[in-house]
Amino acid sequence: MVLSKISSQSDVSVHSTFASRYVRESLPRYRMPDNSIPKEAAFQIINDELMLDGRPRLNLASFVTTWMEPECDKLIMDALNKNYVDMDEYPVTTELQNRCVNMIAHLFNAPLGESEAAVGVGTVGSSEAIMLAGLAFKRKWQNKRRALGLPCDKPNIVTGANVQVCWEKFARYFEVELKEVKLTEGYYVMDPEKAVEMVDENTICVAAILGSTLNGEFEDVKKLNDLLTEKNRVTGWDTPIHVDAASGGFIAPFLWPELEWDFRLPLVKSINVSGHKYGLVYAGVGWAIWRSKDDLPDELIFHINYLGADQPTFTLNFSKGSSQIIAQYYQLIRLGHEGYRNVMENCHQNAMFLREGLERTGRFEIVSKEIGVPLVAFSLKDNSRHDEFEIAEMLRSYGWIVPAYTMPADAQHITVLRVVIREDFSRTLAERLVLDVTKVLHELDNLPVRLHAKSTAVVEEAAAAVVVAAGEGGSGRVNGTFLKKTEIETQREITTYWKKFVANKKKNNKNTIC
């Protein structure tokens, strides 16, 4: 007797995923499903949905590496199942991390002896590195204050308003007051003089940025060091400096080696850098480097032995992958000084080409600097009809992801577009981007003025009408005397006027959209 199966009873794993029921059924989004599905179906469904993501290499918003050589990709894949924290089981991986720490410390001119080991740690990124460095500063400051019998409950840290959000996280999570130097139009980094003025006896450190997220500019760490040295001499304090070199740490040593920003400056006690930015490694690796052992309090270092041997650890998390550590070591020995210098020079030259192309349109003001992270930050000279956000939105139709954002306090009225030039952004892509930006400008010129600009103008007209109707300065007249209206009363009158305006527009022209 021949046995047969009907279609619904057959093994679905032998059929095409697109011929199965899994492509016509909605998968659970918030709860785990009761039943399993074939691995082919799971892969295909997830892979299809991921197609809706942007293309990483066209994501010009990100500083993070989006391309590595196939040989390094293989090393990464081979190490995916290695837990970095198991140092006793994976001693070679631990050794590779230590080599990276020493190479980077020497790159940053740490004052090390011939056979002296550098002090540092691999992290999941600069955010964790900054948390660790901040904790070291806070603990050192507390220990000194306690030894002197002084209160240590109100630590603060001085930064520019242009710092990355991880500094705000550090301040909030670890109860440190964040004292920010406000920005001004045309000067979008921390002013060293204003920063030093804000330093007091409770300041655990001043954080300088080597490569601002906003416009790529390097802050003047040398000037900060000199001013702070003088203030320390006068006051008797010993306020140190931390350099957030997340973006610029792998750029400055190769393009501007004479620039003094690192451990050559006596007050610089620690530096963080992102391996996954211009360290040329995929997302997931950063580095915290200290000047010496004295700058990292021993009580912050934990020792564990339940993985097979005594292991020191100074991290915020515990388990993490080994792949990115191995990838960083690959890049350091594969490229060397020569290779990194060539990559950074290419990035810088392509950034200058893009800058010149945007300037030739005559429509943009460049707010980034030629010395700094290879990026181009620019804003419209005239945004009365259309703004930077519209340009960013329209560039997406060409495949480009270019962010538009407003500057921090006190330069919030400035809106900027920013293009980050990474290793895999070629001259050909730069030429194409200039062409596409030009097309977008032409398209915008042929569009009506943006709706919110019209709305703003109408609201201003309504407010003016209310003021005129009510009296000078938004007041009402009672017995010949002007009485100042409250803010809520003025708002209610504006709202009433606006409703009447809209109603009249609808009445006069039913086809008009307001």
Side-chain angles (χ1 to χ4, degrees):
M1 179 177 181
V2 178
L3 298 177
S4 62
K5 296 181 181 179
I6 61 173
S7 172
S8 61
Q9 296 174 326
S10 63
D11 183 1
V12 295
S13 65
V14 303
H15 295 299
S16 165
T17 299
F18 295 115
S20 71
R21 62 183 174 85
Y22 300 105
V23 296
R24 65 174 181 267
E25 294 179 356
S26 179
L27 292 181
R29 286 179 170 81
Y30 307 112
R31 293 179 183 274
M32 229 175 137
D34 293 329
N35 301 316
S36 303
I37 65 175
K39 58 182 183 294
E40 297 86 357
F43 170 83
Q44 190 67 58
I45 292 168
I46 296 172
N47 185 67
D48 289 352
E49 193 165 3
L50 287 173
M51 289 193 303
L52 298 174
D53 270 346
R55 297 180 182 178
R57 289 186 59 187
L58 296 183
N59 178 9
L60 305 183
S62 178
F63 293 83
V64 176
T65 296
T66 53
W67 179 87
M68 295 188 75
E69 292 176 325
E71 292 78 6
C72 192
D73 288 344
K74 187 176 187 309
L75 286 173
I76 289 173
M77 294 304 296
D78 289 346
L80 280 179
N81 59 353
K82 287 185 179 180
N83 186 358
Y84 165 76
V85 78
D86 294 341
M87 299 180 185
D88 193 52
E89 287 78 3
Y90 309 120
V92 175
T93 300
T94 302
E95 170 62 19
L96 297 188
Q97 188 230 215
N98 294 338
R99 292 178 191 176
C100 290
V101 166
N102 280 274
M103 289 181 181
I104 296 170
H106 283 289
L107 186 66
F108 295 166
N109 295 290
L112 299 172
E114 188 63 30
S115 59
E116 185 179 0
V119 180
V121 65
T123 63
V124 294
S126 275
S127 291
E128 183 188 6
I130 284 168
M131 304 288 172
L132 298 178
L135 284 171
F137 282 120
K138 181 180 178 182
R139 184 57 58 90
K140 281 206 70 174
W141 174 82
Q142 288 175 326
N143 290 345
K144 183 176 181 180
R145 298 280 291 180
R146 289 192 182 105
L148 296 174
L150 298 172
C152 58
D153 58 334
K154 295 182 179 179
N156 68 67
I157 189 168
V158 176
T159 72
N162 57 310
V163 293
Q164 214 260 3
V165 68
C166 60
W167 285 99
E168 298 177 41
K169 290 181 179 179
F170 166 74
R172 188 177 302 178
Y173 296 166
F174 297 105
E175 298 181 326
V176 176
E177 179 190 2
L178 186 66
K179 299 172 72 173
E180 291 185 337
V181 178
K182 304 303 181 186
L183 310 183
T184 57
E185 184 172 350
Y187 195 87
Y188 303 116
V189 292
M190 180 179 70
D191 185 331
E193 294 183 0
K194 293 180 180 178
V196 173
E197 288 175 4
M198 297 175 73
V199 170
D200 58 32
E201 63 180 352
N202 293 321
T203 302
I204 63 174
C205 80
V206 180
I209 312 298
L210 193 78
S212 171
T213 299
L214 301 178
N215 69 344
E217 186 174 352
F218 292 166
E219 292 182 346
D220 193 341
V221 188
K222 175 69 165 61
K223 183 176 181 180
L224 176 65
N225 179 85
D226 294 344
L227 292 172
L228 195 52
T229 297
E230 177 59 20
K231 183 159 188 174
N232 285 343
R233 185 189 66 79
V234 173
T235 60
W237 305 333
D238 59 353
T239 308
I241 295 172
H242 174 86
V243 179
D244 179 357
S247 298
F250 278 108
I251 297 171
F254 303 109
L255 294 185
W256 301 284
E258 73 287 348
L259 183 67
E260 294 184 53
W261 62 272
D262 52 19
F263 292 121
R264 285 170 288 183
L265 303 175
L267 291 183
V268 175
K269 303 300 183 182
S270 56
I271 299 172
N272 70 274
V273 65
S274 292
H276 58 222
K277 292 181 181 177
Y278 289 92
L280 308 181
V281 178
Y282 293 137
V285 63
W287 302 94
I289 310 293
W290 283 269
R291 184 184 194 87
S292 68
K293 292 181 180 179
D294 295 336
D295 298 306
L296 178 56
D298 288 336
E299 62 263 36
L300 293 179
I301 301 174
F302 290 84
H303 292 266
I304 62 170
N305 63 7
Y306 46 77
L307 292 176
D310 179 69
Q311 298 174 6
T313 175
F314 180 41
T315 57
L316 293 182
N317 63 317
F318 193 64
S319 295
K320 68 176 180 181
S322 298
S323 296
Q324 269 66 12
I325 298 289
I326 295 169
Q328 183 72 82
Y329 184 65
Y330 171 91
Q331 293 289 48
L332 291 174
I333 66 168
R334 161 79 173 95
L335 296 174
H337 280 262
E338 177 189 22
Y340 270 97
R341 187 182 307 110
N342 290 340
V343 169
M344 301 312 155
E345 286 177 352
N346 288 344
C347 290
H348 179 71
Q349 290 176 16
N350 285 333
M352 292 303 100
F353 175 85
L354 179 61
R355 176 192 181 108
E356 292 165 4
L358 294 172
E359 286 178 324
R360 282 196 300 271
T361 67
R363 305 284 290 273
F364 296 110
E365 185 78 31
I366 306 297
V367 300
S368 52
K369 305 296 182 183
E370 293 190 15
I371 296 181
V373 177
L375 61 79
V376 183
F378 53 103
S379 58
L380 284 167
K381 292 180 179 179
D382 179 10
N383 60 3
S384 59
R385 286 179 52 84
H386 300 283
D387 62 20
E388 291 81 359
F389 293 100
E390 289 176 278
I391 293 176
E393 183 178 353
M394 293 189 70
L395 280 173
R396 280 183 173 266
S397 66
Y398 291 89
W400 303 105
I401 302 174
V402 177
Y405 52 88
T406 56
M407 289 291 192
D410 286 329
Q412 302 98 319
H413 59 290
I414 304 296
T415 305
V416 171
L417 291 153
R418 187 194 67 207
V419 174
V420 178
I421 308 300
R422 298 188 302 272
E423 175 188 17
D424 53 351
F425 188 83
S426 65
R427 179 64 56 88
T428 301
L429 288 177
E431 292 170 348
R432 171 57 59 184
L433 179 58
V434 172
L435 289 174
D436 290 344
V437 168
T438 304
K439 290 178 184 177
V440 165
L441 291 173
H442 180 71
E443 291 173 14
L444 286 173
D445 288 341
N446 292 316
L447 290 177
V449 179
R450 64 188 188 277
L451 183 61
H452 71 81
K454 289 182 178 179
S455 301
T456 301
V458 172
V459 170
E460 290 174 351
E461 178 187 339
V466 169
V467 169
V468 170
E472 184 179 353
S475 306
R477 185 186 293 273
V478 178
N479 295 328
T481 303
F482 283 110
L483 299 178
K484 188 71 175 179
K485 291 184 179 295
T486 64
E487 186 174 337
I488 188 64
E489 288 174 330
T490 302
Q491 185 61 43
R492 284 171 180 165
E493 291 201 29
I494 292 174
T495 302
T496 300
Y497 183 91
W498 172 255
K499 289 179 178 178
K500 290 180 179 178
F501 175 83
V502 173
N504 288 334
K505 290 286 272 184
K506 289 181 178 179
K507 181 179 180 181
N508 295 332
N509 189 348
K510 294 183 179 180
N511 295 323
T512 300
I513 300 175
C514 296

